[in-house]
Amino acid sequence: MIENIENLILDHLCAIRGDTASRQDGMDELKARMSNLESAMIAVKRQISIGDEVDARQQVFLDLIIRRLDRIERCLDRQDNQRRYDAGVVRGLMLP
């Protein structure tokens, strides 16, 4: 009878060990998948950072272009105003 109890206990311990091993395998798989997800997230963050950097560079470039256009427009306005003034003086008219 004691042998039957010992065998029964050993059978339960073996079943518990098997369950534990299969759960550990599952945990190892989950850890590997989580690691892959973390790596993918890092790659996405890196791409976002690169995109932000490109956006910032483009904004700086656009700001420079806008400043240059403003200077060109002011220069053209001055030239246009000077032509109007010169034309008014030649005709004897004074334009504001």
Side-chain angles (χ1 to χ4, degrees), residues 43-71:
V44 168
K45 287 179 182 179
R46 189 177 303 129
Q47 290 298 321
I48 289 171
S49 176
I50 290 170
D52 290 345
E53 181 182 338
V54 169
D55 287 348
R57 285 183 187 177
Q58 288 176 346
Q59 188 60 48
V60 168
F61 187 69
L62 284 173
D63 290 343
L64 291 173
I65 290 173
I66 289 169
R67 276 192 239 140
R68 290 179 74 186
L69 283 174
D70 287 343
R71 280 186 285 169

Side-chain angles (χ1 to χ4, degrees), residues 34-46:
M34 185 63 97
S35 178
N36 288 338
L37 286 172
E38 287 172 344
S39 297
M41 287 298 295
I42 289 170
V44 168
K45 287 179 182 179
R46 189 177 303 129

Side-chain angles (χ1 to χ4, degrees), residues 19-33:
D19 287 345
T20 304
S22 68
R23 286 194 178 125
Q24 185 61 42
D25 290 342
M27 287 298 291
D28 290 342
E29 180 184 348
L30 288 174
K31 287 178 184 177
R33 292 176 71 185

